[in-house]
Amino acid sequence: MSKYTASEMMIAVAARHLAGARTAFVGVGIPNIACNLAIRTGNPALALIYESGVYGAQPARLPLSIGDPTLVTGAVSVMPMADLFMYYLQGGLVDVAMLGAAQIDRFGNLNSTIIGADYNHPKTRLPGSGGACEISINARRILNITRLGARTFVEKVDFLTSPGFLAGRAERDRMGMPGEGPEAVITDKAVLDFDPHSGEMRLAALYPGVSVEEVQAGVGWPLLVAPALGEVEPPTAEELRIMRDELDPAGLYRG
Amino acid sequence: MSKIMTMREAVQEFVPDGVTLAIEGFTGLICFAAGHEIIRQGRRDLTLCRLTPDLLYDQMVAAGVARKLVFSYLGNPGVGSLYAIRRAVEKGIPHPLEIEEYTHFGMIGRYIAGAARLPFFPLRSHSGSDLPAHNSRLKWVQSPYEDGETIAVVPPLNPDVAIIHAPRCDQHGNTQLWGLLGMQKEAAFAAGKVIVVVEEIVDDSVIRSDPNRTLLPDLIVDAVVVEPFGAHPSYVQGYYDRDNPFYLDWGERSRDVEQTSQWLDEWVYSVPDRATYLKKLGEETLSRLRPGEALSQPVNYGQYT
């Protein structure tokens, strides 16, 4: 078995979660590579959607941003952003979206707005929602891709930018959101999912060689452990080959 | 009648102190040429609107032209933070900056409502988010129809002026766009005055040969400025690529107040116009940014006589 990095593991796991999807809402970096890996390893029909207004992108290079011109050339459709948000996202055509955040809480709520207690005088001003809030509400399934860390996995986010299960699955259900909410959090040490009843985050499967305690150390509240705690299969030789030789030969995102 | 004027004239005539201004363009088609001229002319108290303030508004805020920022995502795309805007928000340097924050869909809806002269735009967003608690303009209405659904609404955005970068237009301002369209069309229709800045002017017959690509009509365009590479360091699809080293350089230098003003001195204040800026950039850089060809297949509109 060849050695691999935590990022390569995250990419492989994210790609496996895309197996049945028809469309994926993509960002740059790991999500972009994960989608392209999924396309080459069993879901060739997966179509990439970018919030910049692109459907069916076929980037010829690693995009520098979600607005890279390489996303346009060779795409199936390029449209005003208004069309993308109204008809694709709100129209229910986005199967999976991948999101990251500065903070994620016990119920999968995301903060990408501020660190600190006072919105008007933040300790750190973060980018804000962009499309994340409406993506969290409208995309059918949400995958979070976030490295473990007690400053990131906090019991309560400083600012709720994008809803996960709010105070629990029942609250999200009450709001009648079209999307099902967060499905999994893909971290550098384990995959976390959400309790089917309460919506609380739990440890679902460990990466090889990682202990429950190591995962807990990167989470700022007592983390539930799923009844059938699994172990994640490491990246296959083929997955690694595609990532290293074809998708990110310079190692920009695999490191 | 030709609406062609220089950038200096267009900014003098249409961008006075205190206006609400939208220079749109999503990662591409961002009119740095206009923003830099606004800085040079010393404008003050502008309300700057944009989904993604990007380097351009970071530079304009650093130069002190802005009183307020209306936005939905503050980032140096693919690089990191916008430090000048963060300094203004976190520490009030060079002076405090009022912010009015939306989500992308919220900003999109605001332009649509503005362009269509509607009182609000309904959208499925904001539920459960803390944003409505910090922006009193985010509200909810109940549908008057059978299901009585409660839905989020945003108010219209009608900037006094929109500056729209585009690949080409004719002398009247009929403007064609391709590549990422961002909110160029909606922002232009929503604005009181529109300045179109293009890579090239083409004959009326070129526009008429492909009417589906004409997104802005002469009806709403007040001024046309021809400014090749006017969106550098952002890009124009098929004309030039993003100059990423420029984005990285700003990402580094803008961390520091002193270096930020040195950058502005070097690339804005001591450069009288865009032609000089391009000379300073150098032909080597310009040719590095020019992409190879990927032509679309022509379509047949048909002769109906």
Side-chain angles (χ1 to χ4, degrees):
Chain A
M1 188 183 68
S2 36
K3 282 193 146 103
Y4 53 89
T5 65
S7 297
E8 287 171 336
M9 184 73 174
M10 293 168 83
I11 293 166
V13 173
R16 293 171 199 165
H17 274 268
L18 296 168
R22 192 177 45 157
T23 56
F25 209 93
V26 199
V28 289
I30 286 180
N32 175 73
I33 299 173
C35 286
N36 284 297
L37 182 61
I39 288 170
R40 284 167 175 74
T41 55
N43 189 1
L46 178 69
L48 309 189
I49 297 181
Y50 288 83
E51 72 175 8
S52 50
V54 182
Y55 167 66
Q58 257 173 8
R61 68 179 184 202
L62 277 175
L64 288 170
S65 78
I66 54 162
D68 193 300
T70 193
L71 300 174
V72 168
T73 306
V76 173
S77 177
V78 177
M79 68 202 86
M81 285 180 78
D83 289 11
L84 192 122
F85 278 79
M86 287 195 289
Y87 311 139
Y88 284 67
L89 179 60
Q90 199 168 258
L93 300 178
V94 176
D95 286 346
V96 188
M98 283 173 281
L99 296 174
Q103 290 181 330
I104 181 167
D105 75 11
R106 199 166 185 149
F107 292 99
N109 302 302
L110 304 179
N111 174 17
S112 57
T113 303
I114 56 152
I115 300 295
D118 182 357
Y119 175 80
N120 295 309
H121 301 93
K123 210 159 80 188
T124 307
R125 175 65 229 201
L126 302 168
S129 164
C133 178
E134 44 264 1
I135 291 167
S136 296
I137 290 169
N138 290 283
R140 195 154 300 150
R141 297 156 50 202
I142 300 293
L143 297 177
N144 294 113
I145 300 182
T146 308
R147 281 164 203 280
L148 285 173
R151 282 168 60 185
T152 308
F153 285 73
V154 294
E155 176 140 27
K156 193 172 178 328
V157 287
D158 289 359
F159 188 100
L160 199 160
T161 311
S162 309
F165 291 116
L166 301 169
R169 214 176 266 270
E171 191 182 359
R172 183 177 172 108
D173 287 349
R174 223 176 14 254
M175 291 196 170
M177 296 183 192
E180 291 161 15
E183 170 180 291
V185 186
I186 298 166
T187 76
D188 50 339
K189 292 190 166 66
V191 176
L192 315 174
D193 69 1
F194 294 87
D195 183 88
H197 303 289
S198 67
E200 181 171 340
M201 194 186 293
R202 56 185 199 177
L203 175 55
L206 293 163
Y207 292 174
V210 175
S211 68
V212 174
E213 293 68 34
E214 279 176 77
V215 176
Q216 177 62 67
V219 176
W221 69 88
L223 182 65
L224 289 179
V225 178
L229 178 63
E231 185 172 285
V232 182
E233 285 292 316
T236 65
E238 178 64 0
E239 285 169 336
L240 287 171
R241 187 194 65 74
I242 295 169
M243 280 187 245
R244 291 171 182 175
D245 295 354
E246 296 175 23
L247 300 179
D248 185 14
L252 292 176
Y253 302 105
R254 287 185 291 103
Chain B
M1 200 191 69
S2 169
K3 295 171 183 163
I4 299 173
M5 53 178 83
T6 65
M7 186 66 82
R8 188 169 300 155
E9 293 165 343
V11 168
Q12 262 162 7
E13 183 165 348
F14 295 109
V15 191
D17 285 349
V19 290
T20 298
L21 170 70
I23 306 180
E24 271 297 337
F26 195 82
T27 67
L29 299 174
I30 305 171
C31 197
F32 282 82
H36 288 180
E37 180 58 28
I38 289 167
I39 293 174
R40 272 193 295 272
Q41 292 195 18
R43 287 299 171 279
R44 287 294 177 265
D45 295 326
L46 301 186
T47 294
L48 298 178
C49 312
R50 237 183 100 73
L51 272 68
T52 56
D54 208 277
L55 262 59
L56 178 59
Y57 280 8
D58 210 34
Q59 291 165 1
M60 293 172 78
V61 167
V65 309
R67 180 183 68 78
K68 180 174 176 181
L69 183 67
V70 181
F71 72 98
S72 49
Y73 185 87
L74 281 177
N76 180 338
V79 178
S81 274
L82 294 176
Y83 291 101
I85 291 174
R86 275 185 58 181
R87 267 198 299 279
V89 172
E90 293 168 8
K91 303 190 180 119
I93 300 170
H95 50 69
L97 180 69
E98 191 187 333
I99 61 170
E100 190 176 309
E101 181 168 6
Y102 295 86
T103 67
H104 273 353
F105 200 8
M107 281 295 282
I108 290 167
R110 295 201 63 197
Y111 280 127
I112 294 173
R117 272 64 184 174
L118 287 169
F120 57 79
F121 178 91
L123 67 162
R124 245 179 261 288
S125 188
H126 307 158
S127 313
S129 166
D130 284 341
L131 197 54
H134 298 281
N135 181 347
S136 60
R137 308 198 77 198
L138 300 178
K139 294 184 189 294
W140 307 84
V141 295
Q142 195 183 0
S143 165
Y145 297 102
E146 291 75 16
D147 61 8
E149 183 186 351
T150 297
I151 190 143
V153 291
V154 288
L157 175 56
N158 291 102
D160 297 314
V161 189
I163 300 178
I164 305 295
H165 202 91
R168 69 187 186 193
C169 72
D170 64 21
Q171 59 172 336
H172 318 288
N174 296 300
T175 304
Q176 296 193 326
L177 289 115
W178 57 95
L180 294 183
L181 303 172
M183 295 304 295
Q184 302 293 62
K185 181 175 72 170
E186 294 81 0
F189 276 99
K193 300 283 181 192
V194 176
I195 302 171
V196 167
V197 184
V198 288
E199 293 296 313
E200 54 182 330
I201 288 278
V202 293
D203 191 74
D204 302 20
S205 64
V206 175
I207 301 294
R208 287 179 185 276
S209 77
D210 195 3
N212 276 120
R213 228 185 287 275
T214 309
L215 267 60
L216 313 184
D218 55 359
L219 293 169
I220 60 168
V221 175
D222 297 279
V224 170
V225 178
V226 189
E227 205 78 275
F229 275 94
H232 175 275
S234 85
Y235 69 90
V236 176
Q237 192 82 31
Y239 288 77
Y240 46 94
D241 200 354
R242 162 162 138 161
D243 193 353
N244 206 46
F246 230 80
Y247 275 76
L248 294 171
D249 182 51
W250 176 259
E252 277 308 311
R253 293 172 68 178
S254 61
R255 287 167 188 260
D256 176 73
V257 180
E258 191 52 38
Q259 286 201 52
T260 302
S261 25
Q262 281 168 11
W263 191 98
L264 289 172
D265 277 340
E266 185 184 345
W267 287 98
V268 182
Y269 293 114
S270 63
V271 179
D273 54 29
R274 200 63 177 178
T276 318
Y277 174 101
L278 294 185
K279 230 175 270 165
K280 178 173 164 55
L281 208 53
E283 183 50 40
E284 205 174 305
T285 301
L286 301 186
S287 49
R288 169 172 62 82
L289 297 173
R290 288 190 187 97
E293 229 174 46
L295 298 175
S296 67
Q297 299 282 340
V299 297
N300 181 15
Y301 278 93
Q303 279 290 354
Y304 300 91
T305 52

